[in-house]
Amino acid sequence: MSNSLASAVLTTPDLAEAMRAVRTLLAVAEVHGADVDFEAVIHSPDVLRRVREVLPDGLEWWALGEGAEGSAKAGDDPEACLPIRLFDWSRPLDRAEPFIDALADSPASVRWDLDAWPEVPEAGLEAVSQKYAYVTLTVNSRDLYQDELAQDHTVHVHTSRGDDSGRVAWLAARIGSTPTGRAEIAPL
């Protein structure tokens, strides 16, 4: 298993601003075969209902909390097991924004799995394969795993752990930002 380095390039209380940044980064990347993955912590039956409308089948989830039981694998009703942590993988890109809209104040992570970061000869950047080409938006959380809850949203760009090419700064500049200095290892 490989790990990428997810570097925060924007933190904002304005979800629309965060989404504009994500769209800009997606326009830079190669996305012909890209897909999107989701992770969220759901406490509310209303949020769960809206998420299930956006992602009606195949959700993986399990109950959260000490002594909590219940999971998709066991065939349990997720609403009867709230709060839950849910996952979904490899969805079309057009599912990302409806999922984000469904969240209300629930913490989540949305990761766009890109085809590649492009070569940028004028910046001295070589193309980066799909293995290290991701954008993650954390909603109502500053970290990738919803451990650091917040009332803001953070855009992360992924590179290889040893990449010192300047790609993170170059990508941050595309959205009118600079790297925040905050980075996390992201198991892939």
Side-chain angles (χ1 to χ4, degrees):
M1 180 193 296
S2 297
N3 296 317
S4 67
L5 186 64
S7 299
V9 294
L10 176 70
T11 297
T12 176
D14 183 351
L15 186 54
E17 178 185 9
M19 283 307 307
R20 279 190 298 276
V22 167
R23 285 187 212 104
T24 299
L25 292 167
L26 294 177
V28 168
E30 294 177 23
V31 297
H32 302 293
D35 57 31
V36 65
D37 302 332
F38 306 100
E39 181 176 339
V41 175
I42 307 291
H43 292 268
S44 158
D46 290 334
V47 170
L48 177 60
R49 179 187 47 77
R50 290 192 306 266
V51 166
R52 290 175 91 180
E53 288 172 3
V54 173
L55 306 171
D57 60 332
L59 289 177
E60 293 291 325
W61 64 269
W62 63 85
L64 285 178
E66 191 172 325
E69 295 184 18
S71 69
K73 189 174 184 174
D76 296 316
D77 175 10
E79 190 169 331
C81 299
L82 292 172
I84 63 169
R85 178 175 294 273
L86 69 81
F87 294 90
D88 198 32
W89 296 273
S90 301
R91 293 290 183 147
L93 297 182
D94 69 355
R95 296 293 75 213
E97 290 192 50
F99 175 81
I100 292 164
D101 291 342
L103 292 172
D105 62 354
S106 297
S109 175
V110 179
R111 186 180 77 193
W112 288 263
D113 299 352
L114 312 172
D115 294 330
W117 290 123
E119 178 182 23
V120 186
E122 64 275 13
L125 300 174
E126 296 179 2
V128 174
S129 73
Q130 173 275 333
K131 186 174 182 177
Y132 298 111
Y134 303 92
V135 172
T136 298
L137 172 62
T138 55
V139 179
N140 302 311
S141 173
R142 291 216 178 129
D143 70 306
L144 301 177
Y145 308 103
Q146 300 82 54
D147 292 328
E148 188 180 337
L149 302 181
Q151 293 182 353
D152 52 29
H153 321 287
T154 300
V155 177
H156 309 260
V157 295
H158 296 244
T159 58
S160 68
R161 289 175 62 185
D163 185 350
D164 59 358
S165 67
R167 181 164 310 272
V168 172
W170 186 85
L171 289 166
R174 306 287 67 81
I175 60 171
S177 188
T178 58
T180 69
R182 190 180 166 123
E184 296 178 66
I185 300 299
L188 303 174

